[in-house]
Amino acid sequence: MMIGIVGKPNVGKSTFFSAATMATAEIANYPFTTIKPNKGVGFIRSKCPHLDFNVKCQPRNSACEDGIRLVPIELLDVAGLVPDACEGKGLGNQFLDDLRQADAFIHVIDASGSTDAEGNTVKPGSHDPVEDLVFLEREINQWIKGIMLKGFDKMARGAHLEGQKIELVIHERLTGLGVTETQVSAALRTSNMPAKIIDWKDEDLYRLAANIRQLSKPMMIALNKADVADPALIKRLSELEGYMTIPTCAETELALRRATKAGLISYTPGDEGFKVNDPSKLNANQTKALDYMSQVMERYGGTGVQKCLEKVAYEMLELLVVYPVEDENHLTDHDGNVLPDAFLLKRGSTAKDLAYKVHTDLGNNFIRAINARTHRVVGHDHLLENEDVMTIVAKR
Ligand SMILES: Nc1nc2c(ncn2[C@@H]2O[C@H](COP(=O)(O)OP(=O)(O)OP(=O)(O)O)[C@@H](O)[C@H]2O)c(=O)[nH]1
Ligand SMILES: [Mg+2]
């Protein structure tokens, strides 16, 4: 699972990324700080099954803190996009190719309106962030259209002559984007395309690309720099129809995680506030900064960063957390680790999908699965539930 972080320059994408992953990324108050993508691992929280089974877990791919399993999810922070990136403006849009496999996007916008369309600093409130919502979708649509367009004419003539199924030819072009055939068919139905593929014009392809994007790459809007934004503007942006939004203060989240690491405060990402460990150990600047941050958090019920990731994972992507174990009685893997791994799968995934996720051989040789909570034996098409603990039995 991978979430791509997109947006115009200088809005706080790398700050959001660093806060969520604690990986280092260059951050600066000017456009195009990021050129090469930053890849890192964030996490989403889930109740650890060790509580239900009353055992001590030994996590391998994840961590467990006080009964909360921190399940890894990949994040990718890329360069900023500017209007007409598809025509080569700014750094162009080719770098989006790194995001082909993204399951969803987080669009970070500067909700304080203090950066213009290119990311240059301007007077707060002088740029309308709604413009950024519109342009970014257009650039992503253009990028998807561009991928479809490569060698399109020749392909369209061939497909027309041979009477090939349109969904299949379009899907084949988009497999690298992780788009499913069902999504292509649905997009074709709503895009009102000319009957013959050879008659498709540029604007038809754009419409199709837009619908494919909507179906295949859900997008969450992070209303960032909420700490310095006009609350009335945050409210207006939150109420926009057709967008899932969440106010965020990426800079605050990053500072809090660093202060936690330095032992100054106690804070768990996602919390609505934090506790200072020993006020007498703080200098005047630290006290002032922490005061500011606690006010900001009070206004929005936290920094929004962790909430944003979890909304994407659980609400937009409908992900389930599933725990594969080799031994359903001891809940262990081959080496005796208890509840070692937590995997993310989309709702609708089956026992066999889980087997493939663990190992291709396990998928290929799947015989049955056992639900470790109920000891029920299930078949390959059994639908998984959130927090399932499953043993896969395969041919040796
Ligand atoms: N006030 C405030 N400033 C923030 C916040 N998040 C980021 N910033 C500041 O915004 C500026 C840009 O941050 P970056 O993370 O480098 O932005 P970016 O979107 O990655 O920029 P590019 O890589 O140039 O596209 C920096 O000065 C950050 O400190 C926030 O929540 N509040
Ligand atoms: Mg950056």
Side-chain angles (χ1 to χ4, degrees):
M1 287 292 158
M2 195 240 274
I3 302 176
I5 303 176
V6 294
K8 75 178 185 188
N10 209 7
V11 292
K13 297 182 297 300
S14 299
T15 310
F16 186 106
F17 168 84
S18 302
T21 61
M22 284 301 271
T24 36
E26 208 177 330
I27 295 169
N29 187 19
Y30 49 77
F32 302 120
T33 304
T34 305
I35 295 173
K36 283 216 188 98
N38 295 304
K39 202 177 197 176
V41 179
F43 62 83
I44 56 171
R45 293 168 297 172
S46 179
K47 184 179 139 203
C48 183
H50 89 241
L51 295 171
D52 300 333
F53 286 96
N54 204 8
V55 292
K56 197 169 156 14
C57 66
Q58 294 156 305
R60 275 191 344 157
N61 83 333
S62 38
C64 180
E65 283 178 11
D66 301 328
I68 303 290
R69 189 60 80 104
L70 308 178
V71 188
I73 188 156
E74 217 178 300
L75 295 178
L76 195 72
D77 161 44
V78 297
L81 271 174
V82 295
D84 298 323
C86 59
E87 280 147 29
K89 288 273 167 61
L91 297 177
N93 70 1
Q94 287 307 305
F95 64 82
L96 289 180
D97 284 347
D98 293 319
L99 289 171
R100 277 169 182 256
Q101 288 301 328
D103 297 284
F105 292 132
I106 293 175
H107 177 195
V108 180
I109 68 169
D110 175 352
S112 71
S114 52
T115 39
D116 70 11
E118 273 85 36
N120 303 299
T121 309
V122 293
K123 202 170 113 250
S126 64
H127 178 82
D128 184 359
V130 175
E131 281 175 30
D132 301 339
L133 296 178
V134 178
F135 108 82
L136 189 110
E137 288 187 349
R138 196 175 59 230
E139 292 306 325
I140 305 241
N141 295 346
Q142 292 286 9
W143 166 61
I144 295 177
K145 190 187 98 180
I147 294 170
M148 276 197 290
L149 260 180
K150 279 196 189 108
F152 186 83
D153 288 345
K154 185 161 171 260
M155 180 280 295
R157 280 195 303 273
H160 178 69
L161 282 174
E162 290 163 30
Q164 287 170 342
K165 259 182 104 179
I166 287 179
E167 314 48 330
L168 294 185
V169 276
I170 296 298
H171 178 240
E172 205 177 278
R173 326 215 99 214
L174 296 177
T175 42
L177 267 181
V179 176
T180 66
E181 209 181 306
T182 323
Q183 289 165 339
V184 172
S185 306
L188 281 167
R189 271 198 305 277
T190 51
S191 300
N192 203 10
M193 304 298 281
K196 291 185 195 148
I197 192 168
I198 43 167
D199 294 335
W200 290 8
K201 304 252 167 4
D202 213 54
E203 59 270 24
D204 299 317
L205 278 161
Y206 179 86
R207 220 171 39 249
L208 180 61
N211 286 324
I212 287 173
R213 173 186 62 74
Q214 277 203 329
L215 291 168
S216 66
K217 306 279 177 193
M219 182 135 72
M220 172 66 86
I221 316 291
L223 308 174
N224 198 37
K225 305 194 189 178
D227 52 323
V228 287
D230 175 0
L233 181 54
I234 294 278
K235 184 160 181 287
R236 176 161 75 88
L237 293 167
S238 306
E239 288 167 357
L240 284 176
E241 219 167 293
Y243 294 97
M244 273 263 250
T245 61
I246 186 158
T248 60
C249 312
E251 202 173 45
T252 300
E253 178 72 16
L254 182 57
L256 290 176
R257 291 208 194 186
R258 285 181 176 158
T260 308
K261 214 171 163 189
L264 297 176
I265 60 168
S266 302
Y267 169 69
T268 307
D271 282 358
E272 297 197 349
F274 59 88
K275 222 180 88 242
V276 174
N277 290 339
D278 181 357
S280 68
K281 288 225 171 84
L282 300 178
N283 64 34
N285 281 338
Q286 288 171 327
T287 309
K288 204 170 138 206
L290 288 170
D291 272 351
Y292 173 78
M293 292 195 272
S294 86
Q295 279 165 31
V296 168
M297 291 176 84
E298 217 162 286
R299 207 180 317 152
Y300 294 108
T303 72
V305 170
Q306 189 60 32
K307 224 189 270 176
C308 182
L309 290 185
E310 285 167 6
K311 264 184 168 284
V312 172
Y314 291 125
E315 291 176 34
M316 293 186 128
L317 292 171
E318 297 188 80
L319 298 183
L320 310 170
V321 183
V322 184
Y323 300 79
V325 292
E326 199 175 295
D327 178 330
E328 83 270 18
N329 294 309
H330 298 96
L331 311 175
T332 48
D333 66 5
H334 201 65
D335 302 316
N337 299 305
V338 177
L339 295 164
D341 296 327
F343 286 157
L344 292 172
L345 288 113
K346 286 203 176 177
R347 181 165 291 284
S349 296
T350 61
K352 196 165 180 176
D353 294 329
L354 174 66
Y356 271 111
K357 185 121 184 161
V358 177
H359 201 281
T360 316
D361 289 344
L362 213 53
N364 287 338
N365 301 319
F366 182 97
I367 299 173
R368 62 179 174 272
I370 303 159
N371 182 326
R373 289 183 189 272
T374 59
H375 296 282
R376 225 184 99 205
V377 174
V378 297
H380 67 96
D381 56 354
H382 172 78
L383 291 180
L384 298 169
E385 294 288 342
N386 195 33
E387 296 175 19
D388 266 353
V389 180
M390 302 293 281
T391 294
I392 310 288
V393 182
K395 267 203 307 279
R396 286 188 174 262

